[in-house]
Amino acid sequence: MARLLLDHVSKRYGDFHAVRDVTLEVADGEFVVLLGPSGCGKTTTLRMIAGFITPTAGSVHLGESDVTTLPPWKRNAGLVFQSYALFPHLSVAQNVAFGLEMRRLGKADIAARVAEALRLVRLEHLAGRLPRQLSGGQQQRVALARALAIRPDILLLDEPLSNLDAKLRQEVRVEIRELQRQLGLTTVMVTHDQEEALTMADRLVVMNEGAVRQIGSQRDLYERPADRFVAGFVGRGTFLEGRIEGPGRFRTEGGLVVRCADGAAGSAVLALRPERLEIAAMPLAGVDNSLPGKVEFVSYLGAASDVHVRLSPSDRVIVQIANRGDGFTPEIGATVHIGWSAAAARLFPAGSVGHDA
Ligand code: ATP
């Protein structure tokens, strides 16, 4: 398997920057996910790795080779797309064999590789069927087998699960991840589905408006988001607009004054994760902030509930409480107290969003 390097890669269409100066290194055997809202440049980036789009600037390296100007068929990349793109008149085995025939492998070699790829995706018993005789999940596994049969240096997955229903997505997600690990395949996947990205990736690349906003592990992105965009896109949270008035002192636009970590005075946004907030019937002792509020909405989610609490006419927070059956269960309309430590909140400069999430 090969290491991938994107070195200051950009793609422009006229004046429009679809991808801006992306630098990314993917280690041997690593699973990296490109995540971001629609139109952020994920697919364009993946297509530059695959060779379908030539960068306007920068270079793409696979292993020791500079492949920037090589056509797709000269890069040993296995591709799986959202639409399975199987040939309807060819059997499962013939579909899987297709790329091997294009590479002019011998008959015996092709048969062995097809059998091996179908075994990997557990479809040996369906080798003779036509695609229309398969379920969506099975068709996607054939597409995966076809990509694996060429023994790719890199596996490129473009929203591979988005045509599958929710339950199947979860199963195929685990299957792909296990297979990728077992084979030690360097993999880049594109998705706009946050949960999919978080469950599958070794590392994530969050993109917005063509640029990389942050690269890191799930924990890095969730607990140390680089900016407000990442904080809003990965996980949930409440953003309170306001100003840092002095050391450790933040005033929201709604007039609440709360203690915060130190930051430069001026306009800022205070970000609070729902599970980092405490909620109680009485004021909370021993925390930096305890503010009264009124419960406006409660949404029961099974393992947890989201409680929406109005702190001021323009400040509302979401608090997540675990449903253990033994805790405080607030009712709509109740007066409650919300507490958090200054260290649990993050501060971002105002206006650093791009797209709001
Ligand atoms: P999605 O999740 O919707 O597929 P994406 O993040 O994969 O989005 P891209 O397909 O990479 O986004 O597109 C990035 C931007 O580049 C979009 O604004 C798109 O409209 C634009 N774009 C893509 N291809 C072209 C093209 N051939 N000509 C002009 N603009 C393009």
Side-chain angles (χ1 to χ4, degrees), residues 267-285:
S267 294
V269 178
L270 190 82
L272 297 163
R273 294 288 189 202
E275 73 284 1
R276 296 289 171 89
L277 300 179
E278 290 179 65
I279 184 166
M282 306 298 279
L284 289 134

Side-chain angles (χ1 to χ4, degrees), residues 225 227-242 250 252-253 268-273 314-318 346-348 352-353 356-357:
D227 56 30
R228 185 187 163 177
F229 173 80
V230 177
F233 196 76
V234 179
R236 299 175 312 134
T238 300
F239 296 95
L240 301 178
E241 314 272 343
F250 182 84
T252 70
E253 280 177 3
V269 178
L270 190 82
L272 297 163
R273 294 288 189 202
S314 50
D315 295 307
R316 184 159 111 150
V317 294
I318 302 176
R346 288 193 70 87
L347 285 166
F348 298 110
S352 63
V353 195
D356 210 336

Side-chain angles (χ1 to χ4, degrees), residues 13 16 18 36-45 159 190 192:
Y13 294 104
F16 178 73
S38 184
C40 72
K42 311 178 289 288
T43 301
T44 305
T45 304
E159 303 264 8
V190 159
H192 61 267

